[in-house]
Amino acid sequence: MDVGFIGLGIMGRPMAAHLLDAGHRLFLYDINPVAEDLTAKGGVACQSAAEVAGKADVIITMVPDTPHVEAALFGPNGVAKGLSSGKIVVDMSSIAPIETKRFASEINKLGCDYLDAPVSGGEVGAKAASLTIMVGGPEEAFAKVKPLFELMGKNITLVGGNGDGQTTKVANQIIVALTIEAVAEALLFAAKAGADPAKVRQALMGGFASSKILELHGERMIKRNFEPGFRIELHQKDLNLALQGARSLNLALPNTASTQQLFNACVAQGGARWDHSGLVRILETMTGFEIGQNADAISGGD
Ligand code: NAD
C-alpha cells in the first residue's frame, strides 16, 4: 500500500518503521527533518502534508494535540489540499473527540473516509508493535486499514463511529493517570515506612494490585528514570479533555481533577517534559522524602 505518515516523533517514528519493514511504500512528513533511519529503509521524505496526501492512499497523522492535527489536515499546505476522493485519513494522535467529529465531516466532504485511531502502550508498545488501537469510523474503511494497524499493534478494536476512538482513549488516560498516582503513593508509603520499594513492587506484581503501570512506571520511580516516554504536558492535555467533557456532560470526575492538579504542580516545578511517572516527584516534594532515600536517616516523620 502507498501510505503517508505525518508526525514522526517518539511514537510516529517506530510506527512508520514497522510499515516500511513490512514492504509498504511510505511518504513521510514532519515539521522537523525526517529521521535518516526511515529514509534509509526506503521512506520518501516529502516537503508538505499536501504532497504526502497526493502520493498516498492512506494518510496517517501522529502529532501532539488537536491544533497540530488541524494544522496538518487543514493548514495552508495540509492534507486536505492534496486529497482526492477514495483516500482514507487516519488520525492516530490523542485529541479532542468533538473536534474529531468536525475533522471527519470535513474530510468526508472531500469524498474520503476518516478514522480516529488513537493508541495506548507508549514508546515501548510502538517499538514492539504491540500497541492497543481504539478506532472510530466506518466499518469498510476500518477493514481496509486493519492490515496496517496489525503491523503496529495487537489489540485493535472498532469501538463505534467517528469520535468513539478518541473517547475510548480519554477513558484510557483517566485510568493510566489515576493508577500512576496510586502506584506513586503506594511506593512512597512503602519507602518511607522503611521497606525496600523494589522488593515491594516485586511482591505486588503477581497480585490484585498488579498492572503495567506498577511494572513499568513503578520501576521508573524506583530507578529515578523520568526521561520521556510520555511527557507530563501530553497527559495534562488528555486529562483536560476528560475534565472539559465532564463539564459538558455534567459528570463528576473528582480524582481525575485532583491528579490533574498534581500534574500542574509538576509543571510548575519545571516538569512539563518529565515522563508522566515523574508525578511521584511532586508527592515526594510534599512529604520531603524521596523513594530510594534511606528511611532510617529520616528523623520524626509521624
Ligand atoms: P512527539 O512530540 O514526540 O511527536 C510529535 C511529532 O509531530 C513531532 O516530531 C513534531 O515535529 C510533529 N509535528 C507537530 N506538528 C506537526 C504538523 N503540523 N505537521 C507535521 N508534523 C508535526 O509526540 P509523541 O509522544 O510521538 O505523541 C504523538 C501523539 O501520540 C500525541 O497525541 C500523544 O498524546 C499520543 N501518544 C503518545 C504516547 C507516548 O508514550 N509518547 C503514547 C500514546 C499516545
mmCIF file of all heavy atoms in Angstrom, residues 6-12 29-32 49 62-65 68-69 71-72 92-95 119-123 131 169 173 229-231 234 237-238, ligand 1:
data_model
loop_
_atom_site.group_PDB
_atom_site.id
_atom_site.type_symbol
_atom_site.label_atom_id
_atom_site.label_comp_id
_atom_site.label_asym_id
_atom_site.label_seq_id
_atom_site.Cartn_x
_atom_site.Cartn_y
_atom_site.Cartn_z
ATOM 1 N N ILE A 6 2.531 11.310 8.812
ATOM 2 C CA ILE A 6 2.813 12.705 9.174
ATOM 3 C C ILE A 6 2.952 12.795 10.683
ATOM 4 O O ILE A 6 2.003 12.457 11.417
ATOM 5 C CB ILE A 6 1.663 13.620 8.663
ATOM 6 C CG1 ILE A 6 1.595 13.536 7.134
ATOM 7 C CG2 ILE A 6 1.853 15.056 9.147
ATOM 8 C CD1 ILE A 6 0.347 14.133 6.526
ATOM 9 N N GLY A 7 4.122 13.241 11.155
ATOM 10 C CA GLY A 7 4.394 13.299 12.597
ATOM 11 C C GLY A 7 5.242 12.111 12.989
ATOM 12 O O GLY A 7 4.729 11.010 13.216
ATOM 13 N N LEU A 8 6.561 12.332 13.023
ATOM 14 C CA LEU A 8 7.500 11.208 13.208
ATOM 15 C C LEU A 8 8.324 11.414 14.474
ATOM 16 O O LEU A 8 9.555 11.420 14.451
ATOM 17 C CB LEU A 8 8.379 11.091 11.955
ATOM 18 C CG LEU A 8 7.553 10.829 10.680
ATOM 19 C CD1 LEU A 8 8.287 11.280 9.435
ATOM 20 C CD2 LEU A 8 7.156 9.362 10.581
ATOM 21 N N GLY A 9 7.612 11.596 15.592
ATOM 22 C CA GLY A 9 8.270 11.814 16.880
ATOM 23 C C GLY A 9 8.467 10.510 17.625
ATOM 24 O O GLY A 9 8.723 9.456 17.025
ATOM 25 N N ILE A 10 8.347 10.575 18.944
ATOM 26 C CA ILE A 10 8.601 9.405 19.804
ATOM 27 C C ILE A 10 7.787 8.201 19.332
ATOM 28 O O ILE A 10 8.298 7.087 19.247
ATOM 29 C CB ILE A 10 8.271 9.750 21.283
ATOM 30 C CG1 ILE A 10 9.322 10.712 21.846
ATOM 31 C CG2 ILE A 10 8.177 8.475 22.136
ATOM 32 C CD1 ILE A 10 9.112 11.147 23.280
ATOM 33 N N MET A 11 6.515 8.429 18.984
ATOM 34 C CA MET A 11 5.631 7.325 18.588
ATOM 35 C C MET A 11 5.665 7.073 17.078
ATOM 36 O O MET A 11 5.766 5.927 16.624
ATOM 37 C CB MET A 11 4.184 7.640 19.016
ATOM 38 C CG MET A 11 3.995 7.797 20.517
ATOM 39 S SD MET A 11 4.284 6.274 21.417
ATOM 40 C CE MET A 11 2.800 5.364 21.020
ATOM 41 N N GLY A 12 5.533 8.143 16.296
ATOM 42 C CA GLY A 12 5.386 8.009 14.843
ATOM 43 C C GLY A 12 6.586 7.334 14.184
ATOM 44 O O GLY A 12 6.415 6.529 13.252
ATOM 45 N N TYR A 29 6.299 13.021 6.342
ATOM 46 C CA TYR A 29 6.444 14.465 6.565
ATOM 47 C C TYR A 29 6.405 14.769 8.052
ATOM 48 O O TYR A 29 5.605 14.202 8.801
ATOM 49 C CB TYR A 29 5.326 15.260 5.849
ATOM 50 C CG TYR A 29 5.415 16.734 6.148
ATOM 51 C CD1 TYR A 29 6.486 17.500 5.663
ATOM 52 C CD2 TYR A 29 4.463 17.357 6.948
ATOM 53 C CE1 TYR A 29 6.588 18.845 5.977
ATOM 54 C CE2 TYR A 29 4.554 18.703 7.255
ATOM 55 C CZ TYR A 29 5.623 19.445 6.769
ATOM 56 O OH TYR A 29 5.737 20.771 7.080
ATOM 57 N N ASP A 30 7.297 15.665 8.453
ATOM 58 C CA ASP A 30 7.291 16.210 9.814
ATOM 59 C C ASP A 30 7.762 17.658 9.681
ATOM 60 O O ASP A 30 8.501 17.978 8.740
ATOM 61 C CB ASP A 30 8.246 15.401 10.715
ATOM 62 C CG ASP A 30 8.028 15.696 12.197
ATOM 63 O OD1 ASP A 30 8.298 16.837 12.646
ATOM 64 O OD2 ASP A 30 7.588 14.785 12.914
ATOM 65 N N ILE A 31 7.335 18.520 10.615
ATOM 66 C CA ILE A 31 7.832 19.905 10.543
ATOM 67 C C ILE A 31 9.330 19.952 10.870
ATOM 68 O O ILE A 31 10.001 20.911 10.525
ATOM 69 C CB ILE A 31 7.020 20.861 11.468
ATOM 70 C CG1 ILE A 31 6.886 20.266 12.877
ATOM 71 C CG2 ILE A 31 5.643 21.162 10.892
ATOM 72 C CD1 ILE A 31 6.250 21.203 13.875
ATOM 73 N N ASN A 32 9.835 18.904 11.509
ATOM 74 C CA ASN A 32 11.283 18.759 11.717
ATOM 75 C C ASN A 32 11.827 17.796 10.662
ATOM 76 O O ASN A 32 11.056 17.040 10.055
ATOM 77 C CB ASN A 32 11.566 18.208 13.121
ATOM 78 C CG ASN A 32 11.293 19.263 14.184
ATOM 79 O OD1 ASN A 32 11.707 20.409 14.055
ATOM 80 N ND2 ASN A 32 10.576 18.875 15.228
ATOM 81 N N ALA A 49 2.516 18.199 4.009
ATOM 82 C CA ALA A 49 1.456 17.204 4.234
ATOM 83 C C ALA A 49 0.619 17.049 2.967
ATOM 84 O O ALA A 49 0.137 15.952 2.664
ATOM 85 C CB ALA A 49 0.594 17.641 5.415
ATOM 86 N N MET A 62 0.249 11.502 13.314
ATOM 87 C CA MET A 62 0.642 11.148 14.685
ATOM 88 C C MET A 62 1.373 12.345 15.278
ATOM 89 O O MET A 62 2.592 12.348 15.420
ATOM 90 C CB MET A 62 1.526 9.895 14.658
ATOM 91 C CG MET A 62 1.748 9.274 16.032
ATOM 92 S SD MET A 62 0.175 8.909 16.839
ATOM 93 C CE MET A 62 0.687 7.951 18.226
ATOM 94 N N VAL A 63 0.593 13.396 15.579
ATOM 95 C CA VAL A 63 1.145 14.673 16.047
ATOM 96 C C VAL A 63 0.633 14.928 17.465
ATOM 97 O O VAL A 63 -0.220 14.183 17.959
ATOM 98 C CB VAL A 63 0.773 15.800 15.056
ATOM 99 C CG1 VAL A 63 1.445 15.576 13.708
ATOM 100 C CG2 VAL A 63 -0.728 15.938 14.879
ATOM 101 N N PRO A 64 1.144 15.979 18.167
ATOM 102 C CA PRO A 64 0.843 16.051 19.606
ATOM 103 C C PRO A 64 -0.624 16.286 19.992
ATOM 104 O O PRO A 64 -1.150 15.574 20.839
ATOM 105 C CB PRO A 64 1.714 17.227 20.088
ATOM 106 C CG PRO A 64 2.837 17.288 19.098
ATOM 107 C CD PRO A 64 2.237 16.887 17.793
ATOM 108 N N ASP A 65 -1.297 17.281 19.416
ATOM 109 C CA ASP A 65 -2.562 17.734 20.015
ATOM 110 C C ASP A 65 -3.543 18.200 18.924
ATOM 111 O O ASP A 65 -3.187 18.256 17.743
ATOM 112 C CB ASP A 65 -2.227 18.889 20.990
ATOM 113 C CG ASP A 65 -3.334 19.156 21.996
ATOM 114 O OD1 ASP A 65 -4.409 18.530 21.907
ATOM 115 O OD2 ASP A 65 -3.125 20.015 22.864
ATOM 116 N N HIS A 68 -2.488 20.710 16.289
ATOM 117 C CA HIS A 68 -1.482 20.177 15.351
ATOM 118 C C HIS A 68 -2.156 19.320 14.286
ATOM 119 O O HIS A 68 -1.770 19.350 13.118
ATOM 120 C CB HIS A 68 -0.427 19.341 16.088
ATOM 121 C CG HIS A 68 0.228 20.065 17.221
ATOM 122 N ND1 HIS A 68 -0.222 19.976 18.514
ATOM 123 C CD2 HIS A 68 1.279 20.913 17.253
ATOM 124 C CE1 HIS A 68 0.533 20.725 19.288
ATOM 125 N NE2 HIS A 68 1.447 21.313 18.550
ATOM 126 N N VAL A 69 -3.188 18.554 14.697
ATOM 127 C CA VAL A 69 -3.921 17.748 13.703
ATOM 128 C C VAL A 69 -4.641 18.696 12.743
ATOM 129 O O VAL A 69 -4.594 18.501 11.520
ATOM 130 C CB VAL A 69 -4.932 16.792 14.390
ATOM 131 C CG1 VAL A 69 -5.766 16.052 13.350
ATOM 132 C CG2 VAL A 69 -4.204 15.797 15.283
ATOM 133 N N ALA A 71 -3.788 21.710 11.918
ATOM 134 C CA ALA A 71 -2.792 22.316 11.016
ATOM 135 C C ALA A 71 -2.351 21.312 9.955
ATOM 136 O O ALA A 71 -2.245 21.654 8.770
ATOM 137 C CB ALA A 71 -1.590 22.801 11.818
ATOM 138 N N ALA A 72 -2.106 20.063 10.375
ATOM 139 C CA ALA A 72 -1.629 19.053 9.414
ATOM 140 C C ALA A 72 -2.695 18.740 8.373
ATOM 141 O O ALA A 72 -2.378 18.525 7.199
ATOM 142 C CB ALA A 72 -1.219 17.774 10.151
ATOM 143 N N MET A 92 -3.989 9.028 14.343
ATOM 144 C CA MET A 92 -3.622 8.151 15.461
ATOM 145 C C MET A 92 -3.154 8.956 16.677
ATOM 146 O O MET A 92 -2.789 8.391 17.703
ATOM 147 C CB MET A 92 -2.560 7.139 15.007
ATOM 148 C CG MET A 92 -3.052 6.292 13.837
ATOM 149 S SD MET A 92 -2.015 4.859 13.448
ATOM 150 C CE MET A 92 -2.482 3.704 14.736
ATOM 151 N N SER A 93 -3.165 10.296 16.576
ATOM 152 C CA SER A 93 -2.849 11.148 17.731
ATOM 153 C C SER A 93 -3.973 11.026 18.758
ATOM 154 O O SER A 93 -5.055 10.545 18.438
ATOM 155 C CB SER A 93 -2.759 12.615 17.309
ATOM 156 O OG SER A 93 -2.348 12.774 15.972
ATOM 157 N N SER A 94 -3.715 11.500 19.987
ATOM 158 C CA SER A 94 -4.778 11.531 21.006
ATOM 159 C C SER A 94 -5.289 12.969 21.086
ATOM 160 O O SER A 94 -4.564 13.850 21.557
ATOM 161 C CB SER A 94 -4.223 11.151 22.377
ATOM 162 O OG SER A 94 -3.544 9.931 22.316
ATOM 163 N N ILE A 95 -6.508 13.188 20.609
ATOM 164 C CA ILE A 95 -7.027 14.565 20.566
ATOM 165 C C ILE A 95 -8.500 14.599 20.982
ATOM 166 O O ILE A 95 -9.074 13.571 21.334
ATOM 167 C CB ILE A 95 -6.832 15.193 19.160
ATOM 168 C CG1 ILE A 95 -7.730 14.509 18.120
ATOM 169 C CG2 ILE A 95 -5.368 15.149 18.728
ATOM 170 C CD1 ILE A 95 -7.953 15.338 16.876
ATOM 171 N N VAL A 119 -3.848 5.460 20.191
ATOM 172 C CA VAL A 119 -3.176 4.243 20.651
ATOM 173 C C VAL A 119 -2.843 4.329 22.128
ATOM 174 O O VAL A 119 -2.762 5.404 22.699
ATOM 175 C CB VAL A 119 -1.866 4.004 19.857
ATOM 176 C CG1 VAL A 119 -2.127 4.032 18.362
ATOM 177 C CG2 VAL A 119 -0.786 5.016 20.220
ATOM 178 N N SER A 120 -2.598 3.174 22.718
ATOM 179 C CA SER A 120 -2.070 3.084 24.071
ATOM 180 C C SER A 120 -0.951 2.053 24.054
ATOM 181 O O SER A 120 -0.972 1.134 23.244
ATOM 182 C CB SER A 120 -3.183 2.664 25.036
ATOM 183 O OG SER A 120 -2.631 2.413 26.305
ATOM 184 N N GLY A 121 0.000 2.215 24.975
ATOM 185 C CA GLY A 121 1.118 1.271 25.024
ATOM 186 C C GLY A 121 2.453 1.977 25.028
ATOM 187 O O GLY A 121 3.482 1.366 25.287
ATOM 188 N N GLY A 122 2.429 3.272 24.731
ATOM 189 C CA GLY A 122 3.621 4.092 24.877
ATOM 190 C C GLY A 122 4.714 3.775 23.876
ATOM 191 O O GLY A 122 4.519 3.002 22.923
ATOM 192 N N GLU A 123 5.875 4.366 24.140
ATOM 193 C CA GLU A 123 7.030 4.194 23.256
ATOM 194 C C GLU A 123 7.413 2.712 23.172
ATOM 195 O O GLU A 123 7.759 2.199 22.099
ATOM 196 C CB GLU A 123 8.195 5.021 23.813
ATOM 197 C CG GLU A 123 9.388 5.072 22.901
ATOM 198 C CD GLU A 123 10.562 5.822 23.536
ATOM 199 O OE1 GLU A 123 10.533 6.079 24.758
ATOM 200 O OE2 GLU A 123 11.507 6.134 22.803
ATOM 201 N N LEU A 131 0.962 -2.070 20.200
ATOM 202 C CA LEU A 131 0.054 -1.025 20.677
ATOM 203 C C LEU A 131 -1.383 -1.531 20.746
ATOM 204 O O LEU A 131 -1.775 -2.422 19.992
ATOM 205 C CB LEU A 131 0.100 0.180 19.724
ATOM 206 C CG LEU A 131 1.408 0.958 19.704
ATOM 207 C CD1 LEU A 131 1.442 1.927 18.527
ATOM 208 C CD2 LEU A 131 1.603 1.710 21.027
ATOM 209 N N LYS A 169 -9.883 6.620 24.200
ATOM 210 C CA LYS A 169 -8.518 6.989 24.613
ATOM 211 C C LYS A 169 -8.560 7.904 25.856
ATOM 212 O O LYS A 169 -7.718 7.778 26.749
ATOM 213 C CB LYS A 169 -7.805 7.681 23.450
ATOM 214 C CG LYS A 169 -6.453 8.267 23.780
ATOM 215 C CD LYS A 169 -5.386 7.228 24.096
ATOM 216 C CE LYS A 169 -4.100 7.910 24.549
ATOM 217 N NZ LYS A 169 -3.008 7.002 24.822
ATOM 218 N N GLN A 173 -6.770 7.242 29.420
ATOM 219 C CA GLN A 173 -5.853 8.177 30.084
ATOM 220 C C GLN A 173 -6.276 8.487 31.517
ATOM 221 O O GLN A 173 -5.432 8.787 32.363
ATOM 222 C CB GLN A 173 -5.726 9.466 29.270
ATOM 223 C CG GLN A 173 -5.015 9.266 27.936
ATOM 224 C CD GLN A 173 -3.654 8.644 28.106
ATOM 225 O OE1 GLN A 173 -3.533 7.430 28.284
ATOM 226 N NE2 GLN A 173 -2.614 9.453 28.080
ATOM 227 N N GLY A 229 9.656 8.569 26.941
ATOM 228 C CA GLY A 229 8.348 8.169 27.391
ATOM 229 C C GLY A 229 7.221 9.147 27.010
ATOM 230 O O GLY A 229 7.193 9.693 25.932
ATOM 231 N N PHE A 230 6.303 9.232 27.905
ATOM 232 C CA PHE A 230 5.102 10.040 27.690
ATOM 233 C C PHE A 230 5.211 11.268 28.591
ATOM 234 O O PHE A 230 5.252 11.145 29.811
ATOM 235 C CB PHE A 230 3.856 9.215 28.010
ATOM 236 C CG PHE A 230 2.574 9.916 27.632
ATOM 237 C CD1 PHE A 230 2.266 10.165 26.303
ATOM 238 C CD2 PHE A 230 1.684 10.341 28.606
ATOM 239 C CE1 PHE A 230 1.091 10.813 25.950
ATOM 240 C CE2 PHE A 230 0.508 10.978 28.266
ATOM 241 C CZ PHE A 230 0.213 11.220 26.926
ATOM 242 N N ARG A 231 5.243 12.438 27.943
ATOM 243 C CA ARG A 231 5.505 13.671 28.690
ATOM 244 C C ARG A 231 4.298 14.106 29.518
ATOM 245 O O ARG A 231 3.151 13.962 29.085
ATOM 246 C CB ARG A 231 5.878 14.811 27.732
ATOM 247 C CG ARG A 231 7.111 14.545 26.901
ATOM 248 C CD ARG A 231 7.567 15.800 26.193
ATOM 249 N NE ARG A 231 6.615 16.322 25.244
ATOM 250 C CZ ARG A 231 6.503 15.916 23.976
ATOM 251 N NH1 ARG A 231 7.287 14.944 23.518
ATOM 252 N NH2 ARG A 231 5.620 16.456 23.163
ATOM 253 N N LEU A 234 1.724 16.170 27.798
ATOM 254 C CA LEU A 234 0.754 15.463 26.948
ATOM 255 C C LEU A 234 -0.353 14.828 27.788
ATOM 256 O O LEU A 234 -1.515 14.802 27.384
ATOM 257 C CB LEU A 234 1.459 14.402 26.094
ATOM 258 C CG LEU A 234 2.320 14.925 24.934
ATOM 259 C CD1 LEU A 234 3.015 13.771 24.208
ATOM 260 C CD2 LEU A 234 1.490 15.733 23.935
ATOM 261 N N LYS A 237 -2.819 17.442 28.698
ATOM 262 C CA LYS A 237 -3.717 17.664 27.558
ATOM 263 C C LYS A 237 -4.863 16.653 27.591
ATOM 264 O O LYS A 237 -6.029 16.998 27.426
ATOM 265 C CB LYS A 237 -2.892 17.542 26.274
ATOM 266 C CG LYS A 237 -3.683 17.513 25.021
ATOM 267 C CD LYS A 237 -3.321 16.494 23.974
ATOM 268 C CE LYS A 237 -2.458 15.339 24.214
ATOM 269 N NZ LYS A 237 -2.507 14.239 23.292
ATOM 270 N N ASP A 238 -4.545 15.378 27.849
ATOM 271 C CA ASP A 238 -5.571 14.330 27.830
ATOM 272 C C ASP A 238 -6.549 14.483 29.000
ATOM 273 O O ASP A 238 -7.758 14.307 28.834
ATOM 274 C CB ASP A 238 -4.911 12.943 27.871
ATOM 275 C CG ASP A 238 -4.097 12.667 26.615
ATOM 276 O OD1 ASP A 238 -4.416 13.247 25.560
ATOM 277 O OD2 ASP A 238 -3.140 11.872 26.688
HETATM 278 P P1 NAD B 1 6.194 13.901 19.818
HETATM 279 O O1 NAD B 1 6.130 15.330 20.240
HETATM 280 O O2 NAD B 1 7.396 13.073 20.171
HETATM 281 O O3 NAD B 1 6.000 13.772 18.233
HETATM 282 C C1 NAD B 1 5.097 14.555 17.505
HETATM 283 C C2 NAD B 1 5.712 14.874 16.142
HETATM 284 O O4 NAD B 1 4.766 15.637 15.384
HETATM 285 C C3 NAD B 1 6.981 15.722 16.250
HETATM 286 O O5 NAD B 1 8.021 15.110 15.515
HETATM 287 C C4 NAD B 1 6.570 17.062 15.641
HETATM 288 O O6 NAD B 1 7.631 17.730 14.982
HETATM 289 C C5 NAD B 1 5.469 16.641 14.678
HETATM 290 N N1 NAD B 1 4.513 17.682 14.309
HETATM 291 C C6 NAD B 1 3.892 18.588 15.094
HETATM 292 N N2 NAD B 1 3.056 19.356 14.378
HETATM 293 C C7 NAD B 1 3.133 18.907 13.103
HETATM 294 C C8 NAD B 1 2.493 19.295 11.883
HETATM 295 N N3 NAD B 1 1.581 20.277 11.845
HETATM 296 N N4 NAD B 1 2.829 18.632 10.752
HETATM 297 C C9 NAD B 1 3.752 17.632 10.771
HETATM 298 N N5 NAD B 1 4.375 17.222 11.894
HETATM 299 C C10 NAD B 1 4.070 17.855 13.044
HETATM 300 O O7 NAD B 1 4.871 13.233 20.431
HETATM 301 P P2 NAD B 1 4.571 11.661 20.647
HETATM 302 O O8 NAD B 1 4.987 11.271 22.004
HETATM 303 O O9 NAD B 1 5.047 10.901 19.453
HETATM 304 O O10 NAD B 1 2.963 11.693 20.669
HETATM 305 C C11 NAD B 1 2.180 11.816 19.493
HETATM 306 C C12 NAD B 1 0.723 11.565 19.852
HETATM 307 O O11 NAD B 1 0.602 10.232 20.374
HETATM 308 C C13 NAD B 1 0.169 12.503 20.948
HETATM 309 O O12 NAD B 1 -1.165 12.835 20.663
HETATM 310 C C14 NAD B 1 0.275 11.662 22.202
HETATM 311 O O13 NAD B 1 -0.686 12.060 23.174
HETATM 312 C C15 NAD B 1 -0.006 10.283 21.648
HETATM 313 N N6 NAD B 1 0.568 9.187 22.441
HETATM 314 C C16 NAD B 1 1.840 9.229 22.912
HETATM 315 C C17 NAD B 1 2.328 8.184 23.685
HETATM 316 C C18 NAD B 1 3.736 8.204 24.251
HETATM 317 O O14 NAD B 1 4.025 7.387 25.127
HETATM 318 N N7 NAD B 1 4.622 9.088 23.795
HETATM 319 C C19 NAD B 1 1.528 7.069 23.948
HETATM 320 C C20 NAD B 1 0.249 7.017 23.421
HETATM 321 C C21 NAD B 1 -0.240 8.083 22.664
#
